[in-house]
Amino acid sequence: MTADEHAVHGPHTHDHGPGCGHASVERADHTDYVHEGHAHTPHDDHYDEHPLPHLAHAGHPHVHQPGCGHDEVAHEDHVDYQHDGHRHAAHDEHYDEH
């Protein structure tokens, strides 16, 4: 891949930005928005795909587990639990945003 090439996220119906409701993380010169198991950032007239950052979801009072009432989504080598517009994956003593 050359410097001019990059991974482009396909058609996207949601505009990401401050207050859009998705978890975000600041990177070198841009903001990645995390949802549906991936991260992307606005670029020209599309979104670029980026590696999923390690982004801890703080202060989560609910324990996710089979039968907890949230949809389970297989994601690589683990299960994410989907609710309130985002997905959580258990990691150490917290949940990661996915």
Side-chain angles (χ1 to χ4, degrees):
M1 196 177 281
T2 69
D4 291 336
E5 295 175 333
H6 54 274
V8 174
H9 180 69
H12 198 69
T13 59
H14 174 78
D15 289 331
H16 290 297
C20 75
H22 290 115
S24 63
V25 62
E26 295 297 320
R27 298 242 176 143
D29 61 350
H30 65 275
T31 303
D32 279 350
Y33 295 91
V34 177
H35 72 106
E36 298 175 3
H38 60 164
H40 47 248
T41 192
H43 181 227
D44 294 334
D45 63 349
H46 61 273
Y47 288 90
D48 292 348
E49 290 283 353
H50 289 168
L52 194 62
H54 179 246
L55 183 60
H57 180 83
H60 194 71
H62 175 78
V63 176
H64 291 299
Q65 59 191 358
C68 73
H70 294 117
D71 291 336
E72 297 179 24
V73 179
H75 187 207
E76 296 175 358
D77 63 348
H78 63 274
V79 173
D80 289 349
Y81 290 89
Q82 185 168 327
H83 67 96
D84 300 328
H86 56 137
R87 291 173 16 182
H88 289 160
H91 181 230
D92 295 335
E93 301 296 318
H94 64 271
Y95 290 97
D96 289 348
E97 293 282 357
H98 277 187

